[in-house]
Amino acid sequence: MDGATAERQELTRIKNAVKQNFREVRKSQNHLFLSFRLLRIRDFFQKLPASESSPAAAQILPARALAPSHVFGPKAASLVMHYLDSVFYWQYPYFRSRSRLGNRGWLLLFLSSGGPLYQAALALSALHRNQVVSQIDYQRNQEAFEYHSKALRELSEFSRRTETETLLGDKSQLAEFASSSLMLISFEVFNGAEYDWLPHLDAVTTVLSMHSPEALLGSANSTDATKVSNEHVSNDDQPQPGLEFLMVHAIWFDILSCISTGRVPRIAYRRWLETSKLEMADLMGCYSWVMIAIGDLAHLQAWKTDMKEKGTLSVPDLVMRSKEVDTRLQDGIDELELTIKENTKAPLAAWVSHIFALASLVLSSTIVSGPCASLPEIRESVGKAVDVLRDWPLAISLGGLIWPLCVIGCMADSEHQAFFQSLLANFDTGCGGFGNSRTALKIMKDCWILQQHHGRNSTDLAFPMGVRVLLI
């Protein structure tokens, strides 16, 4: 088989996978939306006075007519502004507006185009606005789910009419596809990230994994401009606004999802973060070297699982592999501790990276020795994390720490469990239940129960949940 034939077959496989993802999401979304509407209609009539809830009264209630969609019409403009002013900073609480990712003009441009990103942003904005005002507004919730359904339909149509070769070669089309998919994932995070986030993540990471930093961002953004890329890329060498932002966004979700999916990152995160000028902290607050370590731990867990299934797991080899990652983490933690100690105004990224790094050490220990909270190395890392969180600056939100808080909290012993329960419960109350902090707390409590019943009998870190959760 020649190279051209193999390439065509690979493109066909990706296209079919993306379309299958959309079919699955549409099917599950239709079921969820129908259930949501039936529940709201039932509750609505139950709360009406008897005279109004009679069958005769129900027959004369007019069906709500949907207003035509207008890009930046009065209602849409209000939702777009609410998204840009409030929801965006809930999604990215550590976003650096003065960084290389700071220009949001590309986002406004895509929102004004009226495509799938626009509909997805309206859906997320409507849900957030309803939560902020703390009112149960069935009509507004229904409106949000209608926007969500429109976003799914438009993204599916976008995928149908856009050839895979075009999606891989046209940077503007790629940015629209990636931004829409990531926005829909954020919509799922609002609901606890327990449902339809994975098909979207699969689709966007599959497509983005076909690109290299040199091909997508240009040699000017690469620290190794001598490399020659054979990946698909358009003839336009001008960088597409927003692609750097979207790549960091996708790598962030790709790496942190591994603890739930049990797989390795699909995007070549080392190549992107070591050979380009991208810095993860500019978007999600955590330095790239910590995120690289988390990605490496996902590979370590996958290697361990594979060796166990083959009956060839070497414990000394496992320890040696983990030690290399642990050494990098510990050296980085020492530097972060020094930075925070010597600087009363230490950068936000130092605090955020410190917690992520400590959580990574906890995760590494569970991979090697199992999820036993009584292990000295786990107790030490958890204790340090508690000390850091007790001194946490009030000006820095906890909103971007769901992953490390859940990982560390799951391995907390009885001495520290009340601290993590109070921390997450108070945060959940403060944000009105918006996001997946409540889901993370449930996972932690389930882990504590397993610790009591099984102790050291468990051999793998497996969060006790019936569905996969995106801890963002």
Side-chain angles (χ1 to χ4, degrees):
M1 180 184 299
D2 58 24
T5 301
E7 183 179 15
R8 286 195 298 271
Q9 291 181 351
E10 178 65 10
L11 291 175
T12 301
R13 184 190 68 80
I14 293 174
K15 185 174 183 179
N16 291 337
V18 171
K19 288 186 176 181
Q20 179 62 28
N21 281 332
F22 282 122
R23 284 195 293 268
E24 292 176 358
V25 171
R26 287 202 308 274
K27 181 178 179 180
S28 59
Q29 174 62 19
N30 289 338
H31 176 73
L32 177 63
F33 182 49
L34 179 59
S35 300
F36 178 88
R37 293 191 65 180
L38 291 175
L39 178 62
R40 294 299 181 252
I41 292 171
R42 183 199 66 185
D43 291 347
F44 176 76
F45 283 111
Q46 285 179 346
K47 292 186 178 183
L48 287 176
S51 60
E52 295 183 21
S53 60
S54 64
Q59 291 175 3
I60 63 174
L61 288 175
R64 188 173 73 87
L66 295 179
S69 175
H70 296 288
V71 178
F72 293 112
K75 182 186 295 185
S78 175
L79 287 173
V80 168
M81 289 305 300
H82 182 72
Y83 172 78
L84 293 173
D85 291 342
S86 301
V87 183
F88 180 88
Y89 294 101
W90 167 78
Q91 290 177 279
Y92 317 107
Y94 309 136
F95 172 71
R96 291 178 178 175
S97 60
R98 296 185 179 181
S99 70
R100 64 185 296 116
L101 306 181
N103 187 344
R104 295 191 294 165
W106 67 271
L107 178 58
L108 184 61
L109 180 64
F110 278 123
L111 289 174
S112 64
S113 70
L117 175 62
Y118 165 74
Q119 298 292 347
L122 293 185
L124 185 58
S125 182
L127 276 179
H128 183 271
R129 185 178 62 181
N130 181 46
Q131 197 75 20
V132 169
V133 298
S134 300
Q135 295 179 356
I136 301 177
D137 188 335
Y138 295 157
Q139 187 176 26
R140 186 175 296 170
N141 275 336
Q142 180 175 330
E143 176 190 34
F145 275 87
E146 287 171 352
Y147 282 131
H148 188 213
S149 295
K150 289 179 182 178
L152 289 172
R153 289 195 299 269
E154 292 202 14
L155 188 55
S156 178
E157 175 62 21
F158 176 88
S159 176
R160 186 192 64 79
R161 69 172 183 265
T162 305
E163 293 295 328
T164 304
E165 293 85 349
T166 302
L167 188 60
L168 292 175
D170 189 317
K171 294 178 181 179
S172 177
Q173 299 285 342
L174 177 63
E176 173 77 19
F177 172 79
S179 59
S180 302
S181 299
L182 293 169
M183 185 73 74
L184 287 169
I185 294 175
S186 291
F187 186 93
E188 299 302 332
V189 171
F190 164 82
N191 292 305
E194 297 183 61
Y195 300 103
D196 295 327
W197 59 272
L198 188 55
H200 294 301
L201 185 62
D202 284 344
V204 72
T205 54
T206 297
V207 173
L208 291 178
S209 66
M210 297 290 291
H211 295 277
S212 71
E214 300 81 22
L216 201 58
L217 305 182
S219 59
N221 290 279
S222 175
T223 58
D224 186 2
T226 62
K227 289 186 177 180
V228 178
S229 173
N230 293 321
E231 279 84 351
H232 296 271
V233 62
S234 67
N235 294 326
D236 183 7
D237 291 332
Q238 294 298 320
Q240 169 65 36
L243 276 181
E244 290 184 343
F245 182 102
L246 295 170
M247 278 306 311
V248 172
H249 196 331
I251 293 172
W252 167 24
F253 281 13
D254 191 27
I255 290 177
L256 295 191
S257 68
C258 293
I259 197 170
S260 300
T261 63
R263 66 190 189 191
V264 300
R266 293 191 170 189
I267 298 175
Y269 59 93
R270 274 186 167 272
R271 184 177 183 184
W272 277 93
L273 299 181
E274 292 178 343
T275 66
S276 74
K277 298 178 182 179
L278 299 181
E279 172 54 64
M280 298 294 294
D282 290 341
L283 182 62
M284 49 82 64
C286 182
Y287 290 130
S288 294
W289 63 265
V290 183
M291 295 299 291
I292 289 174
I294 297 173
D296 292 347
L297 288 175
H299 281 281
L300 180 63
Q301 177 66 68
W303 175 85
K304 175 188 174 183
T305 301
D306 182 52
M307 292 297 102
K308 285 185 65 176
E309 291 176 352
K310 295 178 180 178
T312 58
L313 177 62
S314 168
V315 174
D317 194 6
L318 175 63
V319 172
M320 181 182 66
R321 289 168 181 260
S322 68
K323 186 176 181 180
E324 189 275 329
V325 181
D326 291 351
T327 300
R328 280 189 278 132
L329 286 169
Q330 191 58 62
D331 290 345
I333 288 173
D334 292 342
E335 292 184 12
L336 291 173
E337 289 177 345
L338 187 61
T339 298
I340 293 174
K341 182 178 180 181
E342 294 182 347
N343 188 354
T344 56
K345 294 184 178 180
L348 175 152
W351 288 91
V352 174
S353 300
H354 196 180
I355 288 296
F356 269 91
L358 288 170
S360 301
L361 280 181
V362 171
L363 180 59
S364 178
S365 297
T366 63
I367 293 173
V368 174
S369 305
C372 182
S374 62
L375 290 174
E377 58 269 28
I378 291 182
R379 286 176 56 87
E380 180 181 3
S381 297
V382 171
K384 287 184 177 180
V386 170
D387 291 339
V388 173
L389 291 168
R390 291 188 191 279
D391 295 333
W392 195 260
L394 294 177
I396 302 178
S397 168
L398 297 177
L401 302 182
I402 298 300
W403 188 92
L405 289 179
C406 189
V407 171
I408 298 170
C410 283
M411 292 298 103
D413 57 16
S414 56
E415 177 185 356
H416 295 124
Q417 288 174 5
F419 171 82
F420 283 98
Q421 179 170 347
S422 175
L423 184 70
L424 273 176
N426 290 337
F427 174 74
D428 181 69
T429 301
C431 64
F434 193 77
N436 56 4
S437 54
R438 191 173 303 170
T439 304
L441 181 56
K442 178 182 181 299
I443 292 171
M444 286 164 47
K445 289 181 177 179
D446 289 343
C447 276
W448 297 340
I449 293 174
L450 286 182
Q451 287 283 342
Q452 290 179 337
H453 286 83
H454 299 286
R456 294 184 61 92
N457 293 329
S458 298
T459 57
D460 294 294
L461 178 63
F463 290 145
M465 52 190 176
V467 292
R468 291 173 175 172
V469 176
L470 181 60
L471 297 171
I472 299 297

